Amino acid sequence: MSFNKSRGGAAVLGGGDELVLRGTISKKWTLLLCLASFCIGLIFTNRMWTMPEPKEIIRRSALEVNKMNLVSGDCAPKSVMEQKDIIGEVPRTQDAIQALDKTISNLEMELASAKASQEESELNGAPLSESTGKRRYFMVIGINTAFSSRKRRDSLRATWMPQGEKRRKLEEEKGIIIRFVIGHSATSGGILDRAIDAEDRKHGDFMRLDHVEGYLELAAKTKSFFVTALSMWDAEYYIKVDDDVHVNIATLGNILAKHRSKPRAYIGCMKSGPVLAQKGVRYHEPEYWKFGEWGNKYFRHATGQLYAISKDLASYISINQHVLHKYANEDVSLGAWFIGLDVEHVDDRRLCCGTQPDCEWKAQAGNVCAASFDWSCSGICKSADRMKEVHQRCGENDSAIWSAKF
């Protein structure tokens, strides 16, 4: 029995040892598992933080470069297209600027014309200017004259230039202004100026310019005439004529009336004379070298005995008077001022007829001349003595001006 007890005790004791052993083994395995887990975690973590191999870096860089190339490739065509669009816009922008400049220039002309009309214009019987509401005239005729030309002026007053009441009637009923155009002497207020003042008090037919008289200053005088006439009278046309030329006013008016639809009309006998380079000769051109080789001709321009310009061109001269270049000859200067402009050059040979028998034959044939002179003298030769004869043979009927409808 003791043996059994002993075995039973042993058995009991064996069971306890087994329990202790199981607990010990369990703790060891737990520790081992923890260590194993820690090692595995450490290995995994180290692998995550390991630097990539060079091949991977190269592979990544290549991919990034490709991506950037794709992006830049997408943008480059857009930049080229945008540049092309910008370049294409340049001509359209230039055209728009030119159109705007032209519009501004036209507005400046209209503004200058509006400012030019003075209160002295009478409102008796003539149409009013739509832009200013003031008296509108048909034409202003400026007769270029000199201090020494008293006899020439008297010959015109006795023939084709109406005087006194007839001249006032011509202005009121027909809208035609006629004045002798003259500046002042080098010694302003001297005997020459006083003589003109006395003549003007008697006839009242002068337009005085702020200009020093002189043969070599004819271009400057012509410019001053247009500027002054524009400031005094609002007219459709402004005409310059020399005091040794015969004029039929009604015929001149009929010619001008046909060109009313042309806003920038330059009317006269167009010519292209030689550029005279030799010093000492009449009409010598000091700036001959500007017109090309020796022996060249001028561009087309109206002969200086008589020419007419429309209001827009007179306004252009007024606006740009300080930058318009003057050549030796005033008719060449005027033609040069219009070079490059959109101007209608009207060549009418009735504005440069010869004296009798030329103008006489044409008058008998019903083709009355508007202006007559002798080409050899650049005017009527000995005009103070011959003007009355030319008027009798080549002049229009006295009633022509009063029956004319412009």
Side-chain angles (χ1 to χ4, degrees), residues 39-251:
C39 292
I40 293 170
L42 184 62
I43 293 170
F44 181 79
T45 304
N46 287 339
R47 184 166 184 81
M48 290 294 293
W49 285 96
T50 300
M51 292 296 291
E53 294 183 3
K55 291 182 179 180
E56 294 179 357
I57 295 173
I58 293 170
R59 192 180 302 112
R60 279 191 200 168
S61 300
L63 290 172
E64 290 175 357
V65 169
N66 289 334
K67 289 179 180 179
M68 293 183 69
N69 287 338
L70 288 173
V71 172
S72 62
D74 291 339
C75 295
K78 293 180 181 178
S79 299
V80 172
M81 291 178 65
E82 289 175 357
Q83 290 176 1
K84 288 182 178 180
D85 290 342
I86 292 171
I87 293 172
E89 286 293 332
V90 170
R92 290 192 288 272
T93 303
Q94 290 176 343
D95 292 341
I97 291 173
Q98 290 175 357
L100 182 60
D101 287 341
K102 187 174 182 180
T103 301
I104 292 172
S105 179
N106 291 335
L107 290 174
E108 286 178 343
M109 287 185 181
E110 293 178 5
L111 180 60
S113 299
K115 289 182 178 179
S117 300
Q118 301 296 317
E119 292 294 341
E120 69 177 87
S121 300
E122 298 176 359
L123 300 175
N124 296 323
L128 300 180
S129 169
E130 294 180 359
S131 59
T132 64
K134 297 179 181 179
R135 174 66 188 269
R136 184 73 181 272
Y137 291 92
F138 177 45
M139 60 181 174
V140 175
I141 302 175
I143 306 172
N144 187 30
T145 191
F147 290 114
S148 59
S149 300
R150 174 64 187 265
K151 289 184 177 180
R152 287 185 179 183
R153 292 192 290 273
D154 287 339
S155 70
L156 299 191
R157 292 179 179 122
T159 54
W160 63 265
M161 182 180 178
Q163 293 297 297
E165 185 60 32
K166 287 184 178 181
R167 182 163 59 84
R168 285 188 288 273
K169 183 180 179 181
L170 189 67
E171 295 177 6
E172 295 173 3
E173 295 186 5
K174 300 299 179 180
I176 299 175
I177 305 290
I178 305 177
R179 294 288 188 276
F180 288 109
V181 180
I182 196 167
H184 57 80
S185 64
T187 56
S188 184
I191 187 171
L192 296 176
D193 295 300
R194 293 198 299 270
I196 294 296
D197 291 338
E199 190 177 345
D200 192 25
R201 285 193 295 270
K202 180 179 179 180
H203 298 283
D205 54 6
F206 278 92
M207 178 198 301
R208 304 300 298 272
L209 304 177
D210 184 14
H211 165 80
V212 178
E213 286 291 323
Y215 179 76
L216 298 178
E217 297 297 326
L218 289 179
K221 183 176 181 179
T222 299
K223 184 198 298 182
S224 181
F225 159 65
F226 286 122
V227 173
T228 305
L230 181 69
S231 69
M232 295 177 67
W233 299 288
D234 180 14
E236 295 182 55
Y237 293 101
Y238 298 86
I239 299 97
K240 176 262 176 182
V241 59
D242 290 339
D243 62 3
D244 55 356
V245 173
H246 180 270
V247 176
N248 284 320
I249 301 174
T251 304

